[in-house]
Amino acid sequence: MTRQSDSVRLLLGCVVTVALAASVRAADMPVHFGLQKQLLVDDHVISEMKNVSRRLGTPVKANAGKPLAFTRVADGGRKVGIDVWPLFASVYYDASRKKFRMWHRVSFNDRSRRQTKKLTDDEIGVGADYHRGYSESSDGVHFTLVSLLKGLTTGGDTNLVVTVDHHETDPAHRYKIAFDCDCQVNGAALAHSSDGIHWTPYNRGKPVTYRAADFTNQVVWDPGRQAYRLFTRTDFGWGGGPLAGRVKITVGKKPLEVRGVRTMINRDVKADPTKWELEHHWVLDGEEKLSSDRPPISELLKDPEYLARVRNQALRRQIYVMTDWLYEGVHFGLMSVLEYPTDISEGRKSDHVTRHERSVENFYIATSRDGIGWDFHWVYAGQPLVRRGPAKAWDKDMVFPTTQLITHKDQHWIYYGGNNERHGAAEKGVWFVRQGGIGLARLRLDGFVALEAGDQVGTVTTKPFRLDGGRLQLNVDARSKGQVRVELLNAAGTPLPGYSGGDAPWHRGVDNLRFEPSWKHQPSLSALKGQVIRLRMHMKQARLYAVHVRP
C-alpha cells in the first residue's frame, strides 16, 4: 500500500515537473517582435507579470452621447432626416478625400416601430422597407445619404457587411459585400463593386454557403492565412444547416434559436466564390479561451455533459453578430452578445424609461492571434467595450458594433448602433416598439486593454526576442504620481549592464502614446541591435498599452 502510494506520488511529481518544464519552455521561447507594435491584450509576448492586472479600456461617447445625424437632400436642396437602422453598418475613413464613409441600412415605414396588434409572427422583428444605403461625412458626426446601393436583392433582413479590399488588384472587385439574397434559404451571398454603390453578385446572386441567417456575414482578407475568410452564422437550435437541432431547447412551445459562428477560408473568391473550407464553429459554451486545435464542435456535442453546458449558456448568452477587425497583428472579434434571450420577466410591454438587464444586447470584444482560437474573457467577465446608456437613453437596452473600427487622429473611432428597448422575445410572440440610431465613441490609441499597476510596483517581463531596431516606444499612462522604468535583460533573463539597475531611471508623470525611455549612459538601443533580449517594465500607478521597437 505504501509502495503504491509512493509510486503514485512519484508519477504525479513527474507529471508536474514535465508540466512546469513545458510551461517554462513556452515562456522562454523567443517570439517575433520585428518593427510591429505589440499590443498587450494577451500573453503573446509576455513571459511574466507581477502585481499587474489587465484592465479593459473605456471609450468616451462623442456628440454628448446622442445618436448621429443622418440626412438626405430632398427636392430644392432641402435636407431631410432619414431613419438609419442600428445594425449592419460598415465604416471607413478615406484619408485622401478626408471623408468618413458608411454603408448602412435605411428604414422607411418600418412597421416594427409602431404600436400595433396586426403583426404576424413572420413580421415580428423583420420590419419593412429596409434599403441598403451609402452616406458620407466630413466630421464623422453629420452624415448625408449619397445613394442607395444598386444591384442587390434581399431575403428580408437586408443585411450587409462591406469590405474595402486593399489586397485586391482588380478595381472592379475592390469593394466586396456579403448580404442576404432573395432565396429560399437564408444564406450569405457575395458581390463586388468598383465604387461601393453599383454591385455585381458573385455566383449569380445565389448563396455561397449553407444557411447563415440574419448575421453580419463578412468576407475579409487575412494576410496571415493568405486567404479570404468568411465569418457567418451557424445554427445549433432552430434553423437550418448541418448542426441545426443539435442543441434542442424550447421556450413555451417554440424552439429556441441557438446562435453560433463559423469561419471558412477561400484563397480565390473570384475563381470560385463557393469554394469555402470550414475552419471552425464556435458557440458560447462557458469556456473563456477556445484553442485553435480543439476538437470539432460536432464531436464535442456528442458529450452529454458538454451539451448540457451549451444549453445552459444558450439561455444565458448567445453570439448575435460578430466580425473580425485586424489591428497590429491582433484579430479583434467585434461582438454583440444577446444576454438572457427570451427572458421578458422585466415586462411584456415597451418601456423606454427603464434600463433593462434581460433580453439585452451588449458590445464586447474578443481577441485572437490567428482568427481561429479566441479569448472571450471580457464576455464572461461581463465587461462590454461600449456600455449601454443609462435609463431613458436611446441606447439603454441594446448596443451593436459596426463591422470595423476607424483609427484616426491617434484615437479609435468606434461607431455603434443602439436601441432603447430590448431584443424582444419573438420566441414568445412579444414585440417591443423600439427607437434607435448610430452613435460614436472614441478610445485612446491602442487603449483596448491596459496592463495596470497600483501603489505597489508591478513588473512586466517579455519573452526573448531579436532586437531589430534602435529605439523603443511605450504607449503608457503614468500621469500625476505615476512612474515607469524599463530594464533590458539578456535571453536568459540576466540584467544587461548599462540598461538595468541604477542605469534605468524612473520616469515620472508620463502620459504619452509614443514615450521613448532612456538610460543614464545609453540614449537608445542601437548598440544592442541584432541581439536577443527581453524587456522588463516596472510600473507604479500606471497603465501600459503597447510596446513598439522602432528603426
Side-chain angles (χ1 to χ4, degrees), residues 86-99:
L87 187 55
F88 306 123
S90 301
V91 195
Y92 290 89
Y93 180 70
D94 186 339
S96 63
R97 297 175 55 227
K98 297 183 179 180
K99 291 286 187 182

Side-chain angles (χ1 to χ4, degrees), residues 142-154:
H142 301 87
F143 284 84
T144 301
L145 181 67
V146 174
S147 175
L148 298 182
L149 306 191
K150 314 293 185 181
L152 304 174
T153 62
T154 179

Side-chain angles (χ1 to χ4, degrees), residues 93-222:
Y93 180 70
D94 186 339
S96 63
R97 297 175 55 227
K98 297 183 179 180
K99 291 286 187 182
F100 293 85
R101 313 178 66 195
M102 186 183 300
W103 288 262
H104 55 82
R105 283 203 301 188
V106 182
S107 178
F108 302 114
N109 192 31
D110 182 0
R111 292 192 298 272
S112 71
R113 299 199 184 201
R114 300 180 190 171
Q115 288 281 11
T116 178
K117 296 182 179 180
K118 295 182 179 180
L119 291 180
T120 66
D121 284 349
D122 289 338
E123 291 173 322
I124 289 176
V126 174
D129 292 326
Y130 288 153
H131 300 269
R132 301 181 182 95
Y134 168 68
S135 296
E136 292 185 346
S137 171
S138 295
D139 62 3
V141 175
H142 301 87
F143 284 84
T144 301
L145 181 67
V146 174
S147 175
L148 298 182
L149 306 191
K150 314 293 185 181
L152 304 174
T153 62
T154 179
D157 289 313
T158 322
N159 58 28
L160 70 155
V161 174
V162 173
T163 298
V164 180
D165 187 3
H166 297 288
H167 169 74
E168 181 60 67
T169 57
D170 185 346
H173 295 256
R174 176 68 181 277
Y175 297 87
K176 293 181 173 64
I177 188 172
F179 65 101
D180 67 312
C181 59
D182 186 6
C183 51
Q184 289 184 345
V185 61
N186 198 339
L190 304 178
H192 60 90
S193 172
S194 62
D195 61 5
I197 295 176
H198 301 86
W199 296 88
T200 301
Y202 293 102
N203 195 37
R204 303 183 306 281
K206 297 179 181 180
V208 298
T209 181
Y210 55 86
R211 174 183 159 92
D214 52 338
F215 198 79
T216 46
N217 307 307
Q218 178 195 31
V219 58
V220 61
W221 176 258
D222 185 339

Side-chain angles (χ1 to χ4, degrees), residues 38-42 45-46 54 449 451 537 544-547:
Q38 301 297 324
L39 304 182
L40 305 178
V41 299
D42 55 19
V45 299
I46 296 175
R54 281 198 169 87
V449 177
L451 297 182
M537 282 76 67
L544 179 65
Y545 297 94
V547 177

Side-chain angles (χ1 to χ4, degrees), residues 13-319:
C14 291
V15 170
V16 170
T17 301
V18 170
L20 288 174
S23 175
V24 170
R25 284 197 300 271
D28 289 341
M29 286 293 291
V31 293
H32 178 68
F33 257 58
L35 300 178
Q36 183 175 47
K37 188 185 298 182
Q38 301 297 324
L39 304 182
L40 305 178
V41 299
D42 55 19
D43 291 338
H44 179 65
V45 299
I46 296 175
S47 171
E48 183 182 55
M49 296 193 300
K50 293 182 179 179
N51 300 324
V52 171
S53 60
R54 281 198 169 87
R55 181 186 181 94
L56 186 68
T58 306
V60 177
K61 291 183 178 179
N63 197 37
K66 298 181 295 185
L68 308 181
F70 286 82
T71 58
R72 64 179 177 87
V73 179
D75 294 341
R78 181 170 50 94
K79 286 193 173 183
V80 179
I82 59 173
D83 189 6
V84 176
W85 194 250
L87 187 55
F88 306 123
S90 301
V91 195
Y92 290 89
Y93 180 70
D94 186 339
S96 63
R97 297 175 55 227
K98 297 183 179 180
K99 291 286 187 182
F100 293 85
R101 313 178 66 195
M102 186 183 300
W103 288 262
H104 55 82
R105 283 203 301 188
V106 182
S107 178
F108 302 114
N109 192 31
D110 182 0
R111 292 192 298 272
S112 71
R113 299 199 184 201
R114 300 180 190 171
Q115 288 281 11
T116 178
K117 296 182 179 180
K118 295 182 179 180
L119 291 180
T120 66
D121 284 349
D122 289 338
E123 291 173 322
I124 289 176
V126 174
D129 292 326
Y130 288 153
H131 300 269
R132 301 181 182 95
Y134 168 68
S135 296
E136 292 185 346
S137 171
S138 295
D139 62 3
V141 175
H142 301 87
F143 284 84
T144 301
L145 181 67
V146 174
S147 175
L148 298 182
L149 306 191
K150 314 293 185 181
L152 304 174
T153 62
T154 179
D157 289 313
T158 322
N159 58 28
L160 70 155
V161 174
V162 173
T163 298
V164 180
D165 187 3
H166 297 288
H167 169 74
E168 181 60 67
T169 57
D170 185 346
H173 295 256
R174 176 68 181 277
Y175 297 87
K176 293 181 173 64
I177 188 172
F179 65 101
D180 67 312
C181 59
D182 186 6
C183 51
Q184 289 184 345
V185 61
N186 198 339
L190 304 178
H192 60 90
S193 172
S194 62
D195 61 5
I197 295 176
H198 301 86
W199 296 88
T200 301
Y202 293 102
N203 195 37
R204 303 183 306 281
K206 297 179 181 180
V208 298
T209 181
Y210 55 86
R211 174 183 159 92
D214 52 338
F215 198 79
T216 46
N217 307 307
Q218 178 195 31
V219 58
V220 61
W221 176 258
D222 185 339
R225 289 299 304 270
Q226 286 294 294
Y228 285 95
R229 270 204 170 104
L230 178 61
F231 286 81
T232 189
R233 169 170 161 171
T234 292
D235 290 282
F236 293 90
W238 175 84
L243 294 179
R246 295 293 297 272
V247 184
K248 295 181 179 179
I249 304 173
T250 56
V251 177
K253 296 182 180 180
K254 294 188 177 182
L256 179 71
E257 291 183 88
V258 179
R259 304 165 178 88
V261 184
R262 70 179 179 272
T263 179
M264 300 168 285
I265 62 169
N266 184 333
R267 300 191 185 280
D268 193 342
V269 172
K270 288 185 292 187
D272 188 348
T274 67
K275 193 177 181 180
W276 293 98
E277 302 172 17
L278 177 68
E279 286 185 307
H280 260 295
H281 296 281
W282 302 286
V283 67
L284 292 179
D285 58 10
E287 188 173 341
E288 280 195 4
K289 295 184 179 181
L290 304 185
S291 66
S292 304
D293 57 355
R294 75 192 314 238
I297 200 165
S298 55
E299 295 299 314
L300 293 173
L301 288 170
K302 294 178 182 178
D303 179 357
E305 183 176 332
Y306 179 80
L307 182 59
R309 200 169 78 199
V310 173
R311 284 178 176 147
N312 288 334
Q313 281 293 318
L315 289 168
R316 171 60 183 86
R317 54 174 70 86
Q318 296 186 24
I319 301 177

Side-chain angles (χ1 to χ4, degrees), residues 476-491:
V476 61
D477 180 358
R479 71 186 73 180
S480 186
K481 298 180 180 179
Q483 304 177 56
V484 62
R485 63 188 286 258
V486 181
E487 287 189 296
L488 271 62
L489 321 175
N490 65 16

